[in-house]
Amino acid sequence: MEKAWWKESVVYQIYPRSFCDSNGDGIGDLNGITGKLDYLKELGIDVIWLSPVYQSPNDDNGYDISDYKAVMAEFGTMEDYDRMLGRAHELGIKIMMDLVVNHTSDEHPWFIESRSSKDNAYRDYYIWKDGRDGKEPNNWGACFGGSAWEYDEKTKQYYLHLFSTKQPDLNWENPLVRKEVFDMMTWWCDKGIDGFRMDVISLISKTPGLPDGRVGKSGYGDPGCANGPRVHEFLKEMNREVLSKYDLITVGECSGVTVEEAKKYASSAGDELNMVFQFEHMDLDGGESFKWNHKKIRLTELKQVMSKWQTELEGKAWNSLYWCNHDQPRMLSRLGNDSSLYRERSAKLLGTCLHMMQGTPYIYQGEELGMTNYPFTSLEEFRDIESINAYHELTEKGIVPPEEMFDYISYKGRDNARTPMQWDDSPSAGFTSGTPWIAVNPNYKEINAKEQMAREDSVFRYYQKLIKLRREHEIIVYGDYRLLLPDSGELYVYMRSLGEQRLLVVCNFTEQETAYQMPDELESGKGRVLISNYDRETLEPSATLAPYECAAVLYG
Ligand code: NOJ
């Protein structure tokens, strides 16, 4: 397998609004990030994925951009950005920017022009259509509720927005749009950035003819735009025009991606992207009303999905590995156990299970501390457009009763990941000296970076070790993967192999002691425990694993 620095890297995602506030306005900012780069250096990560810091009216916290070449005033200035980039580079940390080009903000000058008249030069930068029988052009629903079409009185046409009404979709069919995007990317690359995470990039090529989609519970049709007919052509063009000219790390956020499609997006031929974020493991607890339910992820299904991605991309494309990001609730509260008894142990188990796989691991801020979901008690505590809109839409239509829907958004809502980073036990967890834009999780006195950095057996120290191991053992990066005990509903066991070496990873995902039998092919006694969350020095051929115990054992 061909080696590459981005295969050997560990990425850390920063959600700037919630990371660290340096000026007391309650909102995280660039100077706040710069001040914490030493912390990230100590953790040992290689790359930061920075969620959007561009100018934005913040309808969707920066995923609605009104100027791609300016910094959001709340986050600071371009000088602050340059200082952050410079300091990160001094420390050997790379910066990957969030590229949001499926849509812009409706306050972007292109859209302001576009909506001004039908014959404006920018009209075709977006997707405008006449209504059908006095209604929307088709039945598509938007991700944040309602129709995906918004009527514009001025020119009496509808524009498409797969997300909020303030996020009109760009028309990628228009070569001028592609050129603008590529020029803007080049501008950032010339500034010295190190890569791009590409927001919903699988959606840029719309279904030809924009046909009605299958109607779901919300009453709207599914746009079905994922992996559209020209998406690979567009990305190959992007690669030719921009990516291939620099040494970058690229990851496409690809909702609706299948293994077959991923082999094209992230092909080892290197003519599109380095890797994709797939969603199959995140969708395991989804249901009819999208993600709004209490369903639990079943371990056997999780293993089946993860293993499929591991084995099918082997040698053909590259995996990204993630449990958490700013769009997901905390995995510790979803698949782990966030009770005080098992919180740290299960956080370490989740880390081990993921970081020992093949692919580039992504850590979301606070994951390295075992941060948990937030205990919501009222709708007023929510800030996220997705949760708030979904609550109103599904309760007002009588699809889900209000108390039930409140439980769902509390459990699955994105704000769980967006509460401020917990730095220490001072007021507001050391995130801000002012009033935070979103409430701090009350458990910050117990869970915070300061306490964990001072304690050898903390989750932070454990993540530090996971990252270090990846650097020390090639088998963790490049070894192939095989699932063992596929039918066990308690244990996730897999084996990595590289040459003569074997790495056995054993994780007990339950609250019970669980018996484990070593595969015959491994001779007992010769293994070396690389990491364990239970002070285990050896793994006997027949062992009893403690609740949430995990270990990675190297043979040969
Ligand atoms: C995916 C982003 O991760 C999410 O936060 C955002 O709301 C949508 N794309 C729309 O940009």
Side-chain angles (χ1 to χ4, degrees):
M1 183 185 302
E2 217 166 296
K3 295 190 177 168
W5 64 265
W6 45 266
K7 292 182 179 170
E8 295 166 16
S9 294
V10 176
V11 183
Y12 185 93
Q13 184 191 354
I14 291 183
Y15 195 67
R17 208 172 186 76
S18 303
F19 193 61
C20 183
D21 172 24
S22 71
N23 63 358
D25 65 356
I27 296 170
D29 48 41
L30 292 168
N31 289 339
I33 296 172
T34 308
K36 294 295 184 188
L37 290 173
D38 288 326
Y39 166 84
L40 297 178
K41 182 72 193 167
E42 166 123 24
L43 180 60
I45 55 99
D46 307 277
V47 180
I48 292 171
W49 151 24
L50 199 58
S51 275
V53 295
Y54 316 89
Q55 183 179 298
S56 160
N58 277 312
D59 190 50
D60 184 21
N61 286 356
Y63 283 91
D64 48 320
I65 297 168
S66 54
D67 185 346
Y68 290 102
K69 294 185 187 168
V71 163
M72 193 189 301
E74 288 169 332
F75 291 173
T77 62
M78 195 54 88
E79 288 69 48
D80 296 335
Y81 179 89
D82 291 339
R83 209 169 325 112
M84 180 204 67
L85 183 66
R87 179 67 187 141
H89 284 170
E90 266 167 37
L91 291 171
I93 295 174
K94 295 182 176 358
I95 301 282
M96 172 156 86
M97 294 295 279
D98 215 313
L99 183 77
V100 188
V101 289
N102 171 68
H103 45 267
T104 67
S105 161
D106 65 340
E107 297 182 34
H108 193 291
W110 300 338
F111 190 73
I112 295 173
E113 288 291 326
S114 183
R115 78 187 327 175
S116 67
S117 77
K118 274 188 174 174
D119 51 16
N120 185 279
Y122 289 87
R123 186 66 172 183
D124 230 19
Y125 271 44
Y126 295 86
I127 301 168
W128 291 95
K129 287 278 173 267
D130 288 328
R132 184 173 66 181
D133 309 327
K135 293 209 200 84
E136 290 80 10
N138 68 22
N139 71 357
W140 294 0
C143 288
F144 296 155
S147 165
W149 296 95
E150 182 74 359
Y151 186 65
D152 201 53
E153 199 50 60
K154 178 104 193 275
T155 56
K156 311 225 175 315
Q157 281 195 313
Y158 291 82
Y159 66 83
L160 179 70
H161 60 89
L162 293 182
F163 293 87
S164 89
T165 53
K166 285 184 67 62
Q167 293 168 299
D169 281 54
L170 282 165
N171 176 17
W172 274 72
E173 301 288 329
N174 181 348
L176 294 175
V177 167
R178 305 203 294 276
K179 177 154 187 339
E180 296 264 18
V181 169
F182 301 157
D183 287 350
M184 175 271 285
M185 292 171 73
T186 301
W187 186 86
W188 280 99
C189 290
D190 288 343
K191 217 181 204 326
I193 62 142
D194 306 287
F196 295 106
R197 173 267 184 190
M198 302 186 188
D199 192 65
V200 288
I201 204 70
S202 55
L203 304 184
I204 58 177
S205 167
K206 310 303 185 224
T207 319
L210 314 182
D212 280 343
R214 201 178 51 85
V215 177
K217 228 180 168 184
S218 67
Y220 289 102
D222 178 357
C225 291
N227 317 310
R230 296 187 69 191
V231 68
H232 297 292
E233 175 194 333
F234 294 157
L235 288 176
K236 285 193 171 67
E237 185 181 342
M238 179 195 281
N239 187 292
R240 263 194 325 271
E241 298 298 320
V242 189
L243 307 177
S244 61
K245 301 182 179 162
Y246 303 86
D247 184 18
L248 302 171
I249 175 169
T250 54
V251 53
E253 189 207 21
C254 290
S255 53
V257 69
T258 58
V259 158
E260 285 316 311
E261 281 295 323
K263 288 183 199 162
K264 301 182 200 159
Y265 285 111
S267 153
S268 34
D271 54 359
E272 293 188 28
L273 307 175
N274 294 157
M275 60 195 123
V276 300
F277 288 135
Q278 59 88 12
F279 282 82
E280 280 194 64
H281 60 318
M282 291 291 132
D283 293 342
L284 287 173
D285 55 4
E288 248 195 282
S289 296
F290 180 43
K291 62 185 186 185
W292 309 116
N293 60 48
H294 266 154
K295 227 170 112 181
K296 284 280 172 197
I297 295 174
R298 285 177 57 177
L299 188 66
T300 45
E301 289 177 3
L302 178 75
K303 295 197 296 190
Q304 192 261 326
V305 166
M306 298 303 274
S307 304
K308 177 178 74 180
W309 282 87
Q310 287 286 302
T311 53
E312 294 199 18
L313 293 199
E314 167 77 37
K316 302 193 180 82
W318 190 249
N319 269 294
S320 72
L321 304 171
Y322 75 96
W323 290 139
C324 300
N325 61 41
H326 65 293
D327 291 332
Q328 300 294 338
R330 294 281 176 184
M331 201 46 142
L332 181 52
S333 301
R334 188 174 175 190
L335 183 62
N337 185 326
D338 62 9
S339 71
S340 51
L341 190 56
Y342 294 125
R343 184 178 59 75
E344 292 219 335
R345 207 189 291 163
S346 70
K348 293 172 184 172
L349 164 120
L350 287 171
T352 308
C353 185
L354 192 75
H355 282 242
M356 293 295 122
M357 289 185 192
Q358 191 188 76
T360 300
Y362 288 71
I363 300 170
Y364 178 69
Q365 63 186 45
E367 188 178 347
E368 79 282 16
L369 304 176
M371 276 177 64
T372 65
N373 273 1
Y374 180 84
F376 291 99
T377 55
S378 81
L379 196 59
E380 285 66 53
E381 286 173 302
F382 286 88
R383 297 286 175 273
D384 176 25
I385 182 171
E386 182 191 66
S387 295
I388 297 169
N389 286 3
Y391 179 87
H392 289 303
E393 180 160 322
L394 296 180
T395 59
E396 281 157 22
K397 284 188 178 162
I399 297 171
V400 183
E403 307 76 50
E404 201 176 309
M405 192 60 196
F406 182 78
D407 284 350
Y408 296 158
I409 59 173
S410 302
Y411 177 49
K412 288 281 199 65
R414 307 194 294 182
D415 280 338
N416 283 301
R418 300 176 179 187
T419 62
M421 180 72 179
Q422 294 167 201
W423 292 109
D424 57 38
D425 62 358
S426 69
S428 296
F431 162 71
T432 178
S433 58
T435 307
W437 72 277
I438 187 171
V440 175
N441 195 312
N443 62 18
Y444 72 91
K445 295 217 160 150
E446 188 195 336
I447 306 173
N448 64 68
K450 188 173 170 207
E451 189 277 331
Q452 296 210 14
M453 289 174 83
R455 179 161 55 85
E456 258 332 291
D457 67 348
S458 66
V459 181
F460 177 89
R461 292 284 170 215
Y462 194 90
Y463 265 79
Q464 203 178 31
K465 189 162 177 197
L466 285 172
I467 296 168
K468 195 157 161 267
L469 283 172
R470 177 166 284 265
R471 209 149 282 147
E472 290 166 355
H473 300 278
E474 274 213 321
I475 189 170
I476 300 176
V477 179
Y478 294 110
D480 63 21
Y481 167 104
R482 187 153 55 91
L483 179 68
L484 303 175
L485 307 178
D487 299 328
S488 167
E490 293 89 34
L491 301 181
Y492 194 151
V493 184
Y494 61 87
M495 181 127 71
R496 306 286 308 277
S497 317
L498 187 69
E500 294 302 298
Q501 270 194 336
R502 300 284 174 271
L503 176 70
L504 180 71
V505 181
V506 183
C507 302
N508 176 11
F509 268 81
T510 74
E511 240 180 274
Q512 279 83 44
E513 288 193 339
T514 306
Y516 158 78
Q517 184 64 46
M518 183 171 301
D520 290 340
E521 62 197 276
L522 292 173
E523 288 171 55
S524 63
K526 289 195 185 146
R528 177 157 64 97
V529 175
L530 291 185
I531 190 162
S532 139
N533 64 355
Y534 206 64
D535 291 333
R536 188 178 275 281
E537 274 158 22
T538 52
L539 187 62
E540 306 302 333
S542 305
T544 301
L545 300 173
Y548 296 105
E549 180 176 354
C550 66
V553 191
L554 186 66
Y555 296 83

